[in-house]
Amino acid sequence: MIDGFRLDGRRALVTGASRGIGRSIAEAFAEAGADVALAARTVPDLEMVAEAVEAHGCRAVVLPLDVRDVASVEKAVAKATEALGGLDILVNNAGVYFHATVAELTPEEFQLVIDVNLRAAVFAMQAARPLMRDSGGGVVINISSVAAEKGTPNVYGASKAALESFTRGADRDWALDNIRCVAIAPGMIDTDMEAEVMADPARIDPVIASTARRRVAQPGEVAAAAVYLASQSADFVSGAVLNVDGGRSANY
């Protein structure tokens, strides 16, 4: 059974791959045998991730990318496919978060969150669909958040809830193309994005108290879920959202 979790010969594109969850997913994919195209804004960081991927004997492609630019997103998908000889896995991980409440949120911040967390994923999927279809199918993994279910006093939770809804709709629409669309909803993860919260006991302590496991997660715990969802062992997992939140989405 363990062979079903291998990704040998698979070709993946991971956005937001320079650090945090994206980096962990890229490295985990390589450990499982996949070649990986790495997309993000910071090239030096991507090059370090590429070295880690190549250390597993897999190919790495560095793609500078600002996901706010839809044309660049489409080009990145095309370049990844060309460089790797096909595309089997797309991970939409790039994300942004503002702590501003609804009362404080500016139109510019609202647009940025929607552009990065939702629009970029939608158009990356649109670009990837025909390429995956022509190669026999594939898997799209969208990185959501427990905030999609719990809600937030800002637009972040709404952007992730929309992403989950789009994931389910695309999965139904793309099933005949043999493309599975799934999502992962992490809880609090020890990443740079959450550094401000992690450093403030008044903010992090209630989060941990509402988490059954009574701790935050490491990025590798999300990466493990991504490897499973991308693998043949998850072939019957379709249109689903997998919570990796330590029980926070339950009524604790």
Side-chain angles (χ1 to χ4, degrees), residues 76-88:
V77 172
K79 287 180 180 179
T81 304
E82 180 181 4
L84 298 178
L87 186 65
D88 307 294

Side-chain angles (χ1 to χ4, degrees), residues 10-11 86-90 128-140 174-181 230 232 235:
R10 307 294 292 280
R11 299 148 301 186
L87 186 65
D88 307 294
I89 305 163
L90 170 64
R129 180 184 185 180
L131 302 172
M132 288 183 171
R133 180 184 60 214
D134 292 347
S135 64
V139 182
V140 175
W174 298 6
L176 294 180
D177 293 335
N178 196 32
I179 299 173
R180 291 189 294 115
C181 300
Q232 185 62 34
D235 186 62

Side-chain angles (χ1 to χ4, degrees), residues 4-31:
F5 295 89
R6 295 290 305 174
L7 300 177
D8 300 295
R10 307 294 292 280
R11 299 148 301 186
L13 168 60
V14 181
T15 70
S18 61
R19 58 184 181 172
I21 291 173
R23 176 173 185 160
S24 290
I25 289 174
E27 293 182 10
F29 279 1
E31 186 175 353

Side-chain angles (χ1 to χ4, degrees), residues 103-203:
E104 301 164 335
L105 188 68
T106 68
E108 293 76 18
E109 289 169 340
F110 174 91
Q111 194 61 55
L112 178 59
V113 171
I114 295 300
D115 286 349
V116 174
N117 294 357
L118 178 62
R119 190 177 73 154
V122 168
F123 287 99
M125 291 171 66
Q126 183 187 74
R129 180 184 185 180
L131 302 172
M132 288 183 171
R133 180 184 60 214
D134 292 347
S135 64
V139 182
V140 175
I141 302 174
N142 291 324
I143 304 302
S144 180
S145 169
V146 68
E149 181 175 343
K150 287 294 189 181
T152 57
N154 50 50
V155 74
Y156 179 78
S159 72
K160 292 300 188 178
L163 180 62
E164 290 185 9
S165 179
F166 185 80
T167 301
R168 288 188 289 267
D171 184 76
R172 289 193 300 271
D173 191 42
W174 298 6
L176 294 180
D177 293 335
N178 196 32
I179 299 173
R180 291 189 294 115
C181 300
V182 293
I184 299 174
M188 183 65 70
I189 311 296
D190 187 5
T191 65
D192 291 345
M193 180 181 286
E194 300 292 358
E196 183 180 335
V197 175
M198 297 275 290
D200 184 353
R203 296 167 70 182

